[in-house]
Amino acid sequence: MTEQYLQAIRKRVCVRCIDTDGKGNCLLHKDEICAVEEFLPEIVRSIQQVQSDKVEDYVVELRKFVCTECRHQTEDETCIVRNNLDCGLDRYFPLIIEAVEEVDLARKSA
Ligand code: SF4
Ligand code: SF4
């Protein structure tokens, strides 16, 4: 199940990412892990809580379900990785929403 979401994200997001080889293969160092991979089940659940045409509504849930679990977010809810545009999840979140909702739609209409 999670694999389907990951494949959809690889196709739609990772191919466009600045940290990829252009074919969707992640080039982050082995000791770095992208939040997309680290928190995929939580990301999917946070997106499924929302039905809105405003990305801000999804961001509220993302911060609540994912960023609070992430070691990069501080107690005042800031994140230096996000502020430096170094979080792939945050950078491409609108595309990630599309990928997750596409999988869910395909599943509903199957
Ligand atoms: S950094 Fe994240 S979004 Fe970018 S290619 Fe790697 S896994 Fe995908
Ligand atoms: S925006 Fe920051 S706190 Fe949220 S997932 Fe990315 S690195 Fe973690």
Side-chain angles (χ1 to χ4, degrees):
M1 172 109 54
T2 310
E3 189 54 32
Q4 263 182 297
Y5 294 112
L6 189 60
Q7 289 310 321
I9 290 170
R10 290 248 181 271
K11 264 195 226 150
R12 192 182 277 261
V13 183
C14 295
V15 291
R16 297 181 164 114
C17 179
I18 55 169
D19 293 315
T20 192
D21 61 359
K23 295 177 191 155
N25 299 309
C26 186
L27 297 179
L28 285 184
H29 289 204
K30 284 201 175 81
D31 53 350
E32 293 177 282
I33 178 159
C34 177
V36 171
E37 292 182 339
E38 189 173 1
F39 296 112
L40 188 56
E42 292 84 356
I43 294 165
V44 170
R45 269 201 300 279
S46 81
I47 291 171
Q48 288 171 336
Q49 304 293 321
V50 184
Q51 275 192 321
S52 171
D53 52 11
K54 291 190 201 133
V55 72
E56 301 80 31
D57 294 337
Y58 290 88
V59 170
V60 169
E61 296 303 306
L62 181 76
R63 298 282 177 262
K64 209 184 329 174
F65 283 99
V66 179
C67 294
T68 51
E69 299 299 318
C70 178
R71 66 192 175 284
H72 295 298
Q73 182 157 288
T74 54
E75 277 181 17
D76 65 0
E77 298 189 354
T78 57
C79 170
I80 190 137
V81 181
R82 178 165 74 232
N83 290 350
N84 289 339
L85 304 181
D86 281 336
C87 176
L89 168 60
D90 199 66
R91 254 190 342 246
Y92 303 112
F93 191 46
L95 293 174
I96 293 169
I97 296 168
E98 284 177 18
V100 168
E101 291 190 337
E102 195 177 79
V103 170
D104 286 344
L105 196 65
R107 191 174 297 138
K108 273 184 207 150
S109 48

